[in-house]
Amino acid sequence: MFNAWGRTVAAKRGVVLVVMVAAMILIAGAGHLFGKEFTQGGFEDPKSGYATAEQIEQDAYGRDAMGDVVVLYHAPGGNVDDQGFLGDVSSSLEQLQQSHPDDVIGVTSYTQNQSPQLVNRDEGFIVASVQLAGSGDEVLPHFKAIEDDLGVDGAETQVGGLQAVAGAIDEGMTNDLKRAELIALPLVFVLLVVVFGGLVAAALPVLVGVLTILGALGLLQLLGIIHPVNSFANNVVTLIGLGLAIDYGLFVVSRFREEMAAGYAPPDAARRSVATAGRTVAFSALMVGVTLSGLLLFPQEFLKSVSYGAIAAVLLAALLSVTLLPAVLAMLGHRVDMLSVRKVLARFIPRLREDSGPRKAVAPGQERGFFARIAAFAMRRPVIVTIPIVVVLLALIAPFSGVKFGGINETYLPPDNDTRVAQEAYDSAFPESRTDPVKLVVTGADSTQLTEIRNEANDAPGLTGTFQFARSGETDEQGRDVTVLQASIVDRNDADETVEYLQKFPIPDGTEVHVGGNPALEYDSIQALMDGLPWFVLYVFVATTILLFLAFGSLVLPIKAALMNLLGLGATLGVLTWIFVDGHGASMLGFTPGPLTSPVVVLLVAIIYGLSTDYEVFLLSRMVEAKTRGVPTNVAIRSGIARTGQIITSAALILIVVTGAFAFSEIVMMKYIAFGMIAALIIDATVIRMLLVPAVMKMLGEDCWWAPRWMKRIQERVGLSEAELDDEEHLLPSQGRAELDGRSGQAAHEDGEAHGAATAATTSTHDDGEIDTAPEVPGYPGAKDHASAETKAPAAEAKRPSIKRRSVARSYAPGAAQQPPAAGTPAATFAASPSAEVAVDSSTGGAEFSAPEAPVEDAVSGRENPAAGDSDRYGRHAGRDESISAKDLIARVREERK
């Protein structure tokens, strides 16, 4: 399917480019013109006791607006009885009501009634409460309309209240978004230039990222027409959309350059990139989308709206990566490497000159470089690598046992923020009349029953004082009296015992008591999340396991991936708790330690798990691709990490830059999202994927691919398995085929006189000095070169490549026990047994032979070589007891290819 899709995209590349760009611009424009403003709410459980209390109170009395805005007016000299000062405040408030009749529905101030609850003589200020019009998300815009008109000339004015705090947090998140767009994008482009070595190739993932953000934000605004969307979704869409779009762009562009290096024409390279990398991208997007869809199991509208926006961003990123991006690549062709920075630097840095030349195709097992060495290191010492990593990750998880959850309040602002300072000053001066009290909404109670209820409620722990009558005299739809009692809590971050008591204390028969207010909202929200969390974990685990199995045909790999994801996720949550709850580094980072916002933590869990699965899909796809070409498991593991290591770490680094822009946020919630993402990416993309994965898979060995036979049959019928795209040599120019490197698992050498026949039994030397021989890979580009080389020089005259060190040489031939070559035996016909130690030198054209006393371990796997008789039809992975000539080996390969 993806091969056919890639063919269509390459053939209609101009049309695809225009259509996709126009579609993203159209969606963004439609969202801007017709979309609805984002909201600030959605954190409550609609079926909770808090929601019921709020609904009953609003139906009877309307919204409680007393805590919307509280203004502190400081008298000059501290004399709150100064008549001139009082007159100026009174005139200002009257003018406010007259100039904003649609925004302000009432004002209560000390200048009106001289209430002792509205004056603090010790601090020298009086208080005014400004009630705003509207309900829900309509209120904040009214505050922004009057915000600049609350001051009084000649008097210091401080503004606090629920809407003032919400406005400050909203402004902080808006600034974060601008910072991410203005700072992160240029830095991401610089990183991509470093990764790709050229300006053109680096610009392509950024193009996909920008278009993804445009389209996703447009869809999010359009979604607001039918579903409330929290403003926080705006930031999440930017983070996820930009990060994954660049990840997917990295993967597709890298694959395109590989196909071009193999000699394919640009349209064919684009088609093959869609068929391979495009399929992986689509499957990865499906996995991430399924993980994010788990948020829909929770009742909070906040999580639902963020889930919709994030899923839209993921799907758009994948869609653009398999349509617009390959279309542009097919147009560019070799020009994708234009404006190469690496070539310019190579003029001044000699070590870069080799890398600045044309790219060459490399067979599985022939990869070199840092990540290949890292994988080889982890696989040589799997137990030594695994145990310390697991111990450290478990140690990082430990602080999570002390996690605390809470709601959003002024402490999420910086300590010196004006709104936070005003709110804390008001709460300190009037502890019994705070703007976020706990409420009891009582229905069907007479005066005697109300007294009984009030006396029982006053025994609740953690109150600053007794419950007071806030509202009374109205009835509900059934004609029952509705009375509202309220009291303040000493510590809002430790209100669980208070709310639990109020929800359970005995009440008179025939009455109903519902607990409301912000403390009840936070408590009920946390309980709803805790109730839904096991179902979320079960859903994500089952769904991702099934999808990974259908893709890769293994039951072991999905379980292994889930366990490693949980290790990384737990370590991340432990780091967050250690920093933001325990307060380590609080003064340096500029925040106040406190509880984590539970809905945001759940969102972070979904994002991190989705990204971890995304990287796992990238890694496994290349391992399975190598495995389907016939290489052993150890070589497939090494090949997968060598080919995706740079992509995964580069993608993680780019996401770190994007989220790092949010680390400078003034909002604590954004800080711990940023630091959580950074910690997760560092742990997952380096420690887990590059070290723990190869070590564990090495210990599992062939069991990595295990699944019950009946499940295998289901997977084959469904047809989601990783498809191997055969090499299409008829599309390659003859010269290009002859120049391909790494054509088989053996090292390809040409010394100017003869090559090919001699390479059939030669080992390859990696950068770290390890001698490794990958198996013959049937169907890999250039496999026929062995036959062509044979015709150029007789085998008896072929020179052996120079390998100065002594090593274990492994052949690919079955048969009886190997003996040293007889005098005069052509060097090319000798294939050493795995039990033979050979030193080969081109200057002698022969070999020294010594039979070891004990079986020799495989240089890569660390295990003894298989016994005789275990050979396949190419002589791979066998006892290799019988020699085979290069000519016969080539004949077998050619027969198989037919």
Side-chain angles (χ1 to χ4, degrees):
M1 180 180 74
F2 285 93
N3 193 36
W5 177 251
R7 182 179 294 107
T8 302
V9 169
K12 307 291 184 182
R13 46 191 177 271
V15 175
V16 171
L17 174 62
V18 173
V19 169
M20 295 309 300
V21 172
M24 295 303 104
I25 294 175
L26 182 63
I27 293 173
H32 180 73
L33 293 175
F34 308 111
K36 197 172 181 181
E37 289 288 333
F38 298 137
T39 69
Q40 298 296 315
F43 291 94
E44 72 278 1
D45 175 7
K47 297 181 180 180
S48 64
Y50 161 82
T52 303
E54 288 292 302
Q55 189 63 50
I56 293 174
E57 181 182 3
Q58 289 193 34
D59 289 344
Y61 299 100
R63 187 179 64 86
D64 183 4
M66 290 298 295
D68 284 351
V69 184
V70 291
V71 188
L72 282 59
Y73 297 102
H74 292 261
N79 182 12
V80 296
D81 296 320
D82 186 318
Q83 294 302 311
F85 163 70
L86 294 176
D88 291 342
V89 172
S90 179
S91 298
S92 174
L93 292 174
E94 290 178 2
Q95 180 62 32
L96 179 70
Q97 289 180 283
Q98 293 174 3
S99 59
H100 298 280
D102 297 330
D103 302 311
V104 179
I105 59 174
V107 174
T108 304
S109 72
Y110 178 77
T111 60
Q112 295 173 337
N113 54 25
Q114 283 74 49
S115 170
Q117 294 183 344
L118 296 174
V119 62
N120 186 315
R121 297 183 180 278
D122 295 336
E123 298 294 333
F125 64 81
I126 63 175
V127 177
S129 168
V130 180
Q131 297 98 52
L132 301 175
S135 61
D137 302 309
E138 301 170 353
V139 183
L140 185 57
H142 292 306
F143 167 73
K144 293 181 177 180
I146 69 168
E147 184 177 9
D148 295 333
D149 297 331
L150 293 172
V152 173
D153 293 337
E156 179 187 353
T157 304
Q158 293 179 293
V159 180
L162 298 177
Q163 298 306 316
V165 172
I169 293 176
D170 181 66
E171 182 181 358
M173 289 195 294
T174 301
N175 293 335
D176 295 338
L177 192 60
K178 294 178 180 178
R179 185 185 300 111
E181 293 171 347
L182 295 177
I183 298 178
L185 273 177
L187 289 178
V188 164
F189 179 71
V190 172
L191 284 175
L192 287 172
V193 170
V194 173
V195 171
F196 286 123
L199 299 179
V200 175
L204 297 180
V206 175
L207 171 65
V208 174
V210 171
L211 290 176
T212 298
I213 293 175
L214 284 177
L217 291 181
L219 288 176
L220 202 60
Q221 289 175 314
L222 293 174
L223 176 64
I225 299 175
I226 58 176
H227 189 281
V229 177
N230 189 279
S231 60
F232 187 72
N234 204 11
N235 300 63
V236 173
V237 165
T238 300
L239 175 65
I240 296 296
L242 182 61
L244 284 182
I246 292 176
D247 279 6
Y248 296 158
L250 266 171
F251 204 61
V252 173
V253 173
S254 297
R255 187 61 187 238
F256 176 79
R257 297 174 86 192
E258 283 187 28
E259 299 295 343
M260 291 289 291
Y264 291 100
D268 292 317
R271 171 181 57 80
R272 293 176 61 85
S273 298
V274 173
T276 52
R279 178 196 177 279
T280 301
V281 163
F283 188 77
S284 170
L286 176 62
M287 296 288 292
V288 177
V290 165
T291 303
L292 292 171
S293 69
L295 297 175
L296 300 175
L297 297 174
F298 296 101
Q300 289 88 341
E301 295 296 336
F302 164 81
L303 290 176
K304 292 181 186 293
S305 64
V306 172
S307 176
Y308 290 136
I311 291 173
V314 171
L315 296 181
L316 281 181
L319 177 63
L320 290 171
S321 297
V322 298
T323 54
L324 178 139
L325 185 55
V328 174
L329 290 171
M331 290 179 173
L332 289 174
H334 290 286
R335 288 172 294 181
V336 73
D337 293 319
M338 284 177 59
L339 304 178
S340 174
V341 175
R342 189 170 294 155
K343 289 182 179 179
V344 175
L345 294 177
R347 299 176 183 176
F348 308 99
I349 306 176
R351 63 181 299 180
L352 293 179
R353 289 172 186 168
E354 292 183 5
D355 296 334
S356 63
R359 297 171 59 86
K360 295 183 178 180
V362 180
Q366 290 297 303
E367 300 87 357
R368 301 186 179 188
F370 174 76
F371 293 103
R373 292 194 296 270
I374 287 290
F377 166 78
M379 293 168 66
R380 282 197 302 269
R381 304 168 182 86
V383 177
I384 295 176
V385 170
T386 300
I387 292 177
I389 289 176
V390 173
V391 169
V392 171
L393 291 177
L394 291 176
L396 290 176
I397 294 174
F400 187 62
S401 60
V403 70
K404 295 180 181 178
F405 296 110
I408 299 176
N409 51 53
E410 74 277 0
T411 59
Y412 275 52
L413 298 169
D416 59 351
N417 180 272
D418 292 340
T419 301
R420 174 176 175 175
V421 171
Q423 186 64 45
E424 290 178 340
Y426 175 81
D427 290 341
S428 176
F430 307 102
E432 296 187 3
S433 59
R434 290 177 174 173
T435 56
D436 55 352
V438 62
K439 297 180 180 182
L440 296 179
V441 180
V442 184
T443 58
D446 57 27
S447 58
T448 303
Q449 292 172 324
L450 277 174
T451 301
E452 182 180 346
I453 292 172
R454 183 169 178 264
N455 291 336
E456 288 286 347
N458 287 335
D459 292 334
L463 299 177
T464 61
T466 60
F467 275 89
Q468 303 298 320
F469 289 91
R471 289 174 158 183
S472 60
E474 297 292 340
T475 60
D476 62 8
E477 296 178 351
Q478 302 176 19
R480 298 177 300 176
D481 290 333
V482 177
T483 305
V484 180
L485 307 174
Q486 68 180 36
S488 295
I489 294 179
V490 175
D491 185 359
R492 291 169 304 178
N493 294 329
D494 190 20
D496 288 357
E497 291 186 7
T498 306
V499 176
E500 286 178 3
Y501 175 88
L502 294 175
Q503 289 181 343
K504 297 177 180 178
F505 76 88
I507 60 175
D509 294 338
T511 65
E512 292 182 5
V513 177
H514 301 280
V515 184
N518 281 345
L521 182 156
E522 295 169 7
Y523 177 84
D524 288 344
S525 178
I526 293 172
Q527 292 304 309
L529 289 173
M530 294 300 104
D531 292 342
L533 193 58
W535 296 106
F536 169 77
V537 173
L538 179 62
Y539 165 78
V540 170
F541 174 77
V542 171
T544 54
T545 298
I546 292 174
L547 288 174
L548 283 173
F549 166 73
L550 292 176
F552 302 121
S554 167
L555 190 59
V556 175
L557 291 178
I559 295 175
K560 183 269 305 178
L563 292 177
M564 291 188 179
N565 289 351
L566 290 176
L567 269 178
L569 182 59
T572 299
L573 295 177
V575 170
L576 283 182
T577 304
W578 188 77
I579 296 175
F580 292 97
V581 177
D582 298 339
H584 295 91
S587 58
M588 180 179 67
L589 298 175
F591 69 89
T592 301
L596 304 177
T597 305
S598 50
V600 178
V601 172
V602 172
L603 171 64
L604 194 59
V605 167
I607 293 174
I608 292 174
Y609 196 94
L611 288 175
S612 299
T613 306
D614 176 51
Y615 294 151
E616 184 76 3
V617 170
F618 282 1
L619 193 58
L620 290 179
S621 65
R622 296 310 292 260
M623 290 182 182
V624 173
E625 182 179 342
K627 183 69 176 174
T628 56
R629 289 186 178 275
V631 303
T633 296
N634 291 335
V635 177
I637 296 169
R638 183 179 182 276
S639 177
I641 292 175
R643 290 174 183 268
T644 61
Q646 182 178 3
I647 296 173
I648 291 175
T649 52
S650 298
L653 183 60
I654 288 167
L655 265 177
I656 287 174
V657 170
V658 175
T659 55
F662 293 99
F664 298 99
S665 171
E666 294 183 346
I667 312 303
V668 177
M669 180 171 62
M670 297 305 301
K671 282 182 182 292
Y672 66 69
I673 288 175
F675 280 94
M677 290 288 292
I678 292 171
L681 291 166
I682 291 175
I683 293 171
D684 191 273
T686 56
V687 177
I688 292 180
R689 302 302 153 196
M690 299 299 109
L691 290 172
L692 192 58
V693 166
V696 171
M697 291 185 70
K698 171 62 172 61
M699 289 188 288
L700 290 172
E702 293 298 323
D703 291 337
C704 288
W705 318 107
W706 179 86
R709 291 184 178 179
W710 64 271
M711 294 183 68
K712 288 278 192 180
R713 289 194 295 267
I714 293 175
Q715 187 234 7
E716 292 171 359
R717 292 174 184 173
V718 172
L720 289 183
S721 59
E722 184 79 14
E724 179 189 357
L725 185 63
D726 292 332
D727 298 297
E728 301 163 299
E729 294 189 9
H730 62 283
L731 299 177
L732 298 173
S734 57
Q735 182 180 0
R737 289 197 298 270
E739 292 176 351
L740 290 175
D741 190 2
R743 296 174 296 267
S744 69
Q746 304 143 338
H749 290 275
E750 182 175 3
D751 59 6
E753 296 184 26
H755 74 293
T759 65
T762 310
T763 60
S764 65
T765 306
H766 295 294
D767 293 349
D768 56 358
E770 178 189 357
I771 302 300
D772 178 35
T773 302
E776 181 74 28
V777 185
Y780 204 81
K784 292 184 178 180
D785 290 352
H786 293 293
S788 64
E790 180 189 356
T791 63
K792 294 181 181 179
E797 298 177 4
K799 288 187 178 181
R800 286 184 175 275
S802 176
I803 303 179
K804 293 294 185 181
R805 61 180 60 80
R806 297 178 66 82
S807 64
V808 177
R810 294 169 291 171
S811 76
Y812 296 93
Q818 180 71 51
Q819 299 295 330
T825 301
T829 64
F830 174 64
S833 134
S835 301
E837 194 173 50
V838 182
V840 185
D841 195 319
S842 61
S843 63
T844 64
E848 295 179 12
F849 177 87
S850 61
E853 297 179 359
V856 180
E857 291 185 338
D858 186 291
V860 175
S861 67
R863 296 185 298 189
E864 292 185 8
N865 284 285
D870 290 342
S871 170
D872 63 7
R873 52 180 168 266
Y874 300 112
R876 296 173 297 191
H877 324 305
R880 303 176 177 103
D881 303 306
E882 181 178 282
S883 65
I884 183 172
S885 68
K887 181 177 181 181
D888 291 339
L889 178 61
I890 293 168
R892 291 189 185 186
V893 174
R894 295 174 65 183
E895 188 66 23
E896 172 65 15
R897 289 178 60 81
K898 292 180 181 179

